[in-house]
Amino acid sequence: MNRSNSENAGYGWRIIVPATSANLGCAFDCGGLALRLYLRALFVPSQSTELSLEYQGKTPERFPMNSSNLVLHALRLAAERLDAPPPRGHVLVQSDIPISVGLGSSAAAVIAGLLLGARYSAKEVAPELLLRWAEEIEGHIDNAAAAYYGGLVLALSNNVEQVVVAKTSFPESIRLVVVTPSITVPTHQAREVLPKTYDRADVLHTLQRTSLLAATCFSGNFDLFPELFHDKLHQPYRQQLVPGMERCLALRLPGLLGVAISGSGSSVIAFTTGDEMRVAEELQRIFADEGEQTEAMFTSADNNGAGVTRELVPLMERIGAVLQKLEKS
């Protein structure tokens, strides 16, 4: 029996990966923040079964159960790149992260699969290489880097030899309100509405705010204010895809530090030190005026990132009990 399979016999690998909010208004395609909403997965290798999948979590109708599933795809890719045998066994996924609403569900799935594949292969993988694989699957790494490292992350990846990531912890005192309309915005649609070229003034407008956002956060001051989240590269175009979005981005309340489209939408994320319930109610009221039903979630930043632990699972029949353990943790 090869090393990876002998080490994993009778064991499973448990992983937890946070949701993420990318772009943060001005930090288009370079910034992301990890949130305390989680994807949890368990991979139990087995020689007797093909690679199978089970899912319990948010928006199950949007979670593919075939070979296109990103957890399985990333798991297989990592095993292949690390010269391990094709993975066999059972993957169990439980997720608090709604799918296709701009909260990094795909990045969480990719990071989960890649880390599980690395552990299955019994080989260490440098974070830069793992994130390069994530970029290969996702097309960008702002979500994936935040999901992997946790906290607030700025990343450089496109057209460079080496992935470069800078992380800082984000204060729990800044509460995060996520409001999600029932409408979804596919990433390809959100990309298609963007212009091919930009006016220099619009680029400078956004560059100034991105620089100041990085400066205040990495200095530890976190002096956030609504204008800091105002950009002219993606939000003016993407807000047209979701009725009420423009008014949400313009919302001003005491203690409200700013509102941004989360990822490419349809969710919005609000940063506040004030009455978070009132913030949620006002954002939901705006969407309701447009006939959009919404869900509000209250959370804060996750500063730990993804984590993997080994689980003793001597019998496949015990997998249901392990799931219950995952849900309670």
Side-chain angles (χ1 to χ4, degrees):
M1 183 179 290
N2 64 67
R3 177 172 177 243
S4 63
N5 288 331
S6 64
E7 286 191 355
N8 288 325
Y11 286 86
W13 293 106
R14 173 195 179 193
I15 188 165
I16 181 169
V17 187
T20 50
S21 180
N23 299 327
L24 308 175
C26 62
F28 179 43
D29 272 6
C30 62
L33 178 66
L35 314 178
R36 287 187 176 176
L37 300 167
Y38 298 99
L39 178 147
R40 297 175 174 86
L42 177 73
F43 172 43
V44 183
S46 170
Q47 288 300 303
S48 61
T49 62
E50 296 296 329
L51 192 58
S52 59
L53 180 66
E54 181 179 349
Y55 178 74
Q56 293 188 9
K58 290 273 192 179
T59 52
E61 70 280 2
R62 302 175 196 161
F63 190 83
M65 298 297 292
N66 52 33
S67 59
S68 68
N69 182 274
L70 288 175
V71 178
L72 300 187
H73 176 59
L75 173 56
R76 291 189 178 103
L77 184 144
E80 177 185 348
R81 298 291 170 83
L82 296 171
D83 297 321
R88 298 162 65 93
H90 191 72
V91 177
L92 183 61
V93 178
Q94 189 276 332
S95 182
D96 305 325
I97 310 172
I99 298 171
S100 298
V101 294
L103 293 174
S105 60
S106 61
V110 168
I111 292 298
L114 291 176
L115 286 173
L116 290 173
R119 291 302 176 94
Y120 163 77
S121 304
K123 294 181 180 178
E124 294 295 324
V125 180
E128 294 80 8
L129 179 57
L130 186 138
L131 289 176
R132 184 65 83 188
W133 292 345
E135 181 188 27
E136 182 180 328
I137 298 172
E138 280 257 274
H140 51 88
I141 67 162
D142 43 0
N143 284 104
Y148 181 84
Y149 284 107
L152 174 66
V153 168
L154 295 178
L156 172 67
S157 61
N158 299 90
N159 303 316
V160 294
E161 183 175 338
Q162 183 177 357
V163 171
V164 181
V165 175
K167 172 202 170 175
T168 186
S169 294
F170 196 85
E172 294 186 12
S173 58
I174 299 178
R175 300 294 297 170
L176 308 174
V177 179
V178 178
V179 173
T180 303
S182 55
I183 188 174
T184 62
V185 178
T187 302
H188 69 86
Q189 182 182 5
R191 290 281 176 186
E192 288 174 354
V193 299
L194 302 180
K196 300 297 183 183
T197 60
Y198 291 96
D199 183 81
R200 180 186 298 178
D202 290 343
V203 174
L204 291 176
H205 172 101
T206 305
L207 181 60
Q208 289 172 349
R209 284 151 184 78
T210 308
S211 301
L212 189 55
L213 175 68
T216 188
C217 291
F218 280 81
S219 70
N221 293 326
F222 291 93
D223 293 328
L224 308 181
F225 54 95
E227 180 62 26
L228 198 59
F229 297 90
H230 187 259
D231 100 295
K232 292 190 176 183
L233 298 186
H234 73 107
Q235 291 188 144
Y237 308 98
R238 289 173 168 174
Q239 69 188 17
Q240 303 170 20
L241 299 175
V242 182
M245 183 75 76
E246 183 176 3
R247 290 174 57 201
C248 287
L249 298 181
L251 182 65
R252 300 292 183 266
L253 290 171
L256 178 59
L257 305 178
V259 182
I261 298 176
S262 185
S264 57
S266 59
S267 298
V268 294
I269 183 168
F271 301 77
T272 183
T273 57
D275 186 347
E276 55 191 309
M277 183 62 71
R278 185 186 176 193
V279 172
E281 290 174 349
E282 289 297 321
L283 291 171
Q284 289 187 291
R285 180 186 59 78
I286 291 171
F287 282 123
D289 289 345
E290 302 291 341
E292 290 292 333
Q293 295 183 338
T294 55
E295 177 186 7
M297 292 177 282
F298 303 90
T299 187
S300 57
D302 172 282
N303 289 310
N304 297 317
V308 188
T309 56
R310 204 178 190 192
E311 295 283 332
L312 177 62
V313 188
L315 295 173
M316 285 295 292
E317 288 78 9
R318 292 186 56 194
I319 203 163
V322 176
L323 173 61
Q324 293 179 0
K325 178 182 176 182
L326 290 178
E327 291 175 336
K328 293 177 181 179
S329 62

